Amino acid sequence: MSNIKEDRQLKRKKRIRKWILIGVAVVLVLAIAAVSIFLQLYKYHYNKGNEYYDSYKYSDAAAEYNKALSYPVPDGEECAIKVNLVLAKIAPVNFDNVPEADLSDTIDLLGDCIDLLCEDGCAHKNDENGHDSTAQELKDELEQILEKLKEQQEQSQGGSDSDEDQDNTGDETEEDTRSGEGEATTEQDPSEKQIEDIIRDGTKEHNRSREEDTGEYNYYGGKSW
């Protein structure tokens, strides 16, 4: 009788042990699946960003690329996401015709994009040793555009100063005329004319070189992972 009872208890223990092992195995499988899904989430947002980019929804594309970067990304693949993020940020900007009022914001945008490309060594600021050739090439081109926009900003500020000087000269001439001190025949200061010529010639050269250097960015390929 006691042997029968012991056998039943032993079988019950074996069944319990078996279900415990099955439960542990199921938990491990679910945990591995969850980790795998989590590690692949960056691909979902990257591909979603590509869809938005193809639809010219650049703001939405940039948001998806940022989400992709918020998840663990395998070494080397983060540069492709950053390149597309930068392209989405600058796509709405017409660098050939940046309004004077937008120059400062555009210059800041380019600076932020260059910093982003240089993160994690995708591109290098001071040399050509970035470990991603596409990021390095894009960074170099953005630096060229940035320098030209800075020159345009300096020329614009110089032109404003010259216009202000001309206004002041005009006011003084008008005041002299009203007071009867003489006819308003004041000649333009040679130095002011020289400054105007420099600004005008510099603007022509700037526009010419921008037309020569203008090109489409072809880094974005819309490839899905």
Side-chain angles (χ1 to χ4, degrees), residues 34-51 61-82 84 223-225:
V35 171
S36 178
I37 292 173
F38 177 77
L39 293 177
Q40 298 298 316
L41 282 175
Y42 79 95
K43 290 185 179 181
Y44 168 79
H45 291 291
Y46 174 83
N47 292 333
K48 193 68 175 177
N50 288 351
E51 293 177 11
E64 289 297 329
Y65 293 139
N66 274 319
K67 289 179 182 178
L69 291 172
S70 69
Y71 292 98
V73 180
D75 290 342
E77 295 186 8
E78 76 282 355
C79 294
I81 301 175
K82 289 179 179 180
N84 282 10
K223 180 181 70 174
S224 296
W225 282 329

Side-chain angles (χ1 to χ4, degrees), residues 10 35 37 44 55-56 62 77 85 93 160 175 188 217 219:
L10 183 60
V35 171
I37 292 173
Y44 168 79
S55 301
Y56 307 103
E77 295 186 8
L85 173 57
V93 182
S160 298
E175 183 178 350
Q188 186 179 20
Y217 292 111
Y219 306 109

Side-chain angles (χ1 to χ4, degrees), residues 8 12 16 23-24 26 34 37 42 60 72 90 92 107 110 126-127 149 152 167 185 187 192-193 200 204 216 225:
R8 289 178 178 175
R12 187 181 299 113
I16 293 173
V24 171
V26 169
I37 292 173
Y42 79 95
D60 293 332
I90 66 176
I107 289 172
L110 287 174
N126 301 322
D127 54 46
L149 289 182
Q152 181 180 339
D167 291 340
T185 58
E187 295 183 359
E192 292 180 1
K193 185 177 185 303
R200 183 174 59 253
K204 288 181 180 178
E216 293 290 331
W225 282 329

Side-chain angles (χ1 to χ4, degrees), residues 103-123:
L103 275 175
S104 180
D105 290 340
T106 304
I107 289 172
D108 290 341
L109 171 64
L110 287 174
D112 292 340
C113 288
I114 291 171
D115 289 340
L116 178 62
L117 291 171
C118 291
E119 287 181 1
D120 301 318
C122 294

Side-chain angles (χ1 to χ4, degrees), residues 7-23:
D7 289 341
R8 289 178 178 175
Q9 291 177 347
L10 183 60
K11 289 180 180 179
R12 187 181 299 113
K13 289 180 180 179
K14 288 182 178 180
R15 286 197 297 270
I16 293 173
R17 190 179 299 114
K18 177 182 177 180
W19 284 111
I20 290 175
L21 291 175
I22 291 174

Side-chain angles (χ1 to χ4, degrees), residues 96-154:
D96 293 327
N97 187 25
V98 179
E100 182 178 341
D102 296 337
L103 275 175
S104 180
D105 290 340
T106 304
I107 289 172
D108 290 341
L109 171 64
L110 287 174
D112 292 340
C113 288
I114 291 171
D115 289 340
L116 178 62
L117 291 171
C118 291
E119 287 181 1
D120 301 318
C122 294
H124 280 186
K125 281 190 175 182
N126 301 322
D127 54 46
E128 300 296 317
N129 296 327
H131 63 72
D132 185 271
S133 59
T134 302
Q136 185 70 49
E137 184 179 355
L138 178 57
K139 189 274 299 184
D140 292 342
E141 291 192 13
L142 293 185
E143 283 185 335
Q144 293 177 12
I145 297 174
L146 179 61
E147 288 303 314
K148 290 174 181 177
L149 289 182
K150 287 182 177 179
E151 291 176 6
Q152 181 180 339
Q153 187 180 47
E154 292 176 357

